Amino acid sequence: QSALTQPASVSGSPGQSITISCTGTSSDVGGYKYVSWYQQHPGKAPKLVIYEVSLRPSGVSNRFSGSKSGNTASLTISGLQAEDEADYYCTSYTGSSTLYVFGTGTKVTVL
Amino acid sequence: QLQLVESGGGVAQPGRSLRLSCVASGFSFSAYTMHWVRQAPGKGLEWVSVTSSDGSNKYYADSVKGRFTISRDNSKNTLYLQMNSLRREDTAVYYCARDHAPSITPQSFFAPWGQGTLVIVSS
């Protein structure tokens, strides 16, 4: 099971919106409505920011939103803030022997 | 508050074994599916294993199948990962993470996570 493909880096200025893509196949991202996204600051544990493609956990800013089209899921961060600078990972159920697969990760830089 | 605390990491020689523990507090541990996820130094996240709330169902990533065993003791609020036949590529920070349901489902997501414990496999 190969890792989902994410851009290595995305950057934006404060206040701007950015979108991170997560591309898989019809066997994972395209086959299920179960993509989640995690934010990880350096040296810290990951934190859930989006689950089931577009749902936001309690306590997560509404500046984070998710969507999916075909085999590609997306995370959008609007009104970019300095605190959003972190690594972001998507993950999907695969239905194969390795049940879940993560994306390659995207480093978000706030300019 | 919800808390997961991992321990048991350290340095092990290739071919040797280690057992990781994850102690849960602040929620009803026996009601939730639990996962192990790892992250090699400077690399991305990799899902390792999952166990249902009662320990009756378990799954593993192909990369660890046959070498790692997940288990849990609900009376001690503790999740375990027994790692045998360790390889250099098993070097990583190992995180435990809670799921949202008692059974293993496609809807799984991981929240919260522990702070991780570092395993280094080196001779």
Side-chain angles (χ1 to χ4, degrees):
Chain A
Q1 184 67 47
S2 300
L4 307 176
T5 301
Q6 298 180 230
S9 62
V10 174
S11 62
S13 299
Q16 287 186 329
S17 292
I18 61 168
T19 296
I20 303 167
S21 61
C22 169
T23 300
T25 69
S26 58
S27 297
D28 38 63
V29 174
Y32 305 94
K33 290 187 281 189
Y34 306 125
V35 175
S36 51
W37 289 89
Y38 301 85
Q39 175 192 63
Q40 186 180 34
H41 288 107
K44 300 295 187 181
K47 172 191 171 186
L48 177 71
V49 293
I50 292 288
Y51 66 100
E52 292 183 23
V53 175
S54 61
L55 301 182
R56 217 173 25 253
S58 173
V60 172
S61 171
N62 59 9
R63 298 183 298 103
F64 291 87
S65 61
S67 63
K68 192 186 81 151
S69 177
N71 297 338
T72 298
S74 299
L75 174 71
T76 297
I77 309 174
S78 58
L80 201 60
Q81 298 181 0
E83 67 207 49
D84 300 330
E85 189 161 288
D87 293 326
Y88 291 82
Y89 295 91
C90 60
T91 189
S92 171
Y93 178 75
T94 71
S96 70
S97 55
T98 296
L99 285 188
Y100 309 98
V101 62
F102 280 91
T104 50
T106 297
K107 180 176 181 59
V108 168
T109 300
V110 181
L111 301 172
Chain B
Q1 71 279 21
L2 305 179
Q3 190 170 20
L4 297 169
V5 179
E6 302 94 335
S7 62
V11 180
Q13 293 181 327
R16 303 302 290 262
S17 300
L18 275 179
R19 188 176 83 155
L20 307 184
S21 300
C22 167
V23 177
S25 59
F27 65 97
S28 180
F29 178 72
S30 62
Y32 292 91
T33 290
M34 295 293 297
H35 299 262
W36 287 101
V37 177
R38 68 183 180 183
Q39 185 171 35
K43 302 297 185 182
L45 299 169
E46 179 187 15
W47 176 80
V48 173
S49 184
V50 61
T51 176
S52 57
S53 59
D54 62 0
S56 62
N57 290 296
K58 305 173 184 181
Y59 293 88
Y60 302 90
D62 289 342
S63 57
V64 307
K65 198 171 296 181
R67 300 187 299 120
F68 289 12
T69 301
I70 191 171
S71 63
R72 63 192 297 160
D73 185 338
N74 286 343
S75 68
K76 296 182 178 179
N77 290 345
T78 303
L79 176 72
Y80 302 101
L81 186 68
Q82 178 67 43
M83 304 186 297
N84 298 333
S85 303
L86 282 164
R87 303 169 180 168
R88 286 184 172 79
E89 54 264 36
D90 295 322
T91 293
V93 173
Y94 285 74
Y95 296 99
C96 63
R98 194 191 76 171
D99 206 320
H100 73 295
S103 55
I104 299 169
T105 70
Q107 294 99 315
S108 284
F109 50 86
F110 317 118
W113 299 56
Q115 86 290 346
T117 187
L118 176 62
V119 171
I120 298 173
V121 183
S122 173
S123 53

